[in-house]
Amino acid sequence: MQLSFDTEHIRTICESSAEAIREFGQEVAYVLMARLDDLDSAVSIRDVLLGRPRAHNNGDLEIELTGGYRMICRANHPKNPMTGSGVIDWDKVSRIKIVGISKS
């Protein structure tokens, strides 16, 4: 999958394990980096088994990290693939934007 980031701050955290550790602690940072590696090597979200990815009705995709933290993503195609019922077809999404990392 092709990854992008909603803000420079999120990009910095996701591209630097030292920054992720400073922001969230070592355990969460370790899992975050592992999930990012999973996403980077996946063809679609269906290839990502860990983190229990689940789509929400608002178009967001939530991936669990650890300690109650989660990563929020959105499809990021110029024209996002949709199903016949008008929701994002995550099987066809190959570009996502990470829009947030927060504690539930």
Side-chain angles (χ1 to χ4, degrees):
M1 292 193 125
Q2 183 179 353
L3 304 178
S4 64
F5 307 93
D6 193 43
T7 66
E8 190 67 34
H9 180 67
I10 292 171
R11 175 187 293 279
T12 300
I13 290 168
C14 291
E15 290 182 346
S16 167
S17 58
E19 287 299 321
I21 290 169
R22 263 192 283 280
E23 185 86 16
F24 303 113
Q26 188 166 353
E27 183 180 4
V28 174
Y30 175 79
V31 174
L32 171 63
M33 294 302 155
R35 295 296 172 271
L36 290 167
D37 286 343
D38 292 345
L39 288 170
D40 189 46
S41 53
V43 173
S44 82
I45 198 62
R46 303 297 176 215
D47 296 331
V48 179
L49 303 176
L50 299 174
R52 290 189 257 174
R54 46 187 185 273
H56 295 281
N57 291 336
N58 66 357
D60 288 350
L61 178 78
E62 178 180 312
I63 300 172
E64 291 180 10
L65 300 175
T66 189
Y69 282 89
R70 62 199 176 113
M71 179 170 41
I72 306 299
C73 308
R74 293 192 181 126
N76 194 35
H77 293 261
K79 183 172 168 62
N80 288 324
M82 306 296 274
T83 66
S85 59
V87 297
I88 293 182
D89 188 347
W90 286 102
D91 287 335
K92 295 179 181 171
V93 170
S94 61
R95 297 171 57 154
I96 62 171
K97 180 185 285 187
I98 298 166
V99 297
I101 301 164
S102 63
K103 193 163 188 173
S104 302

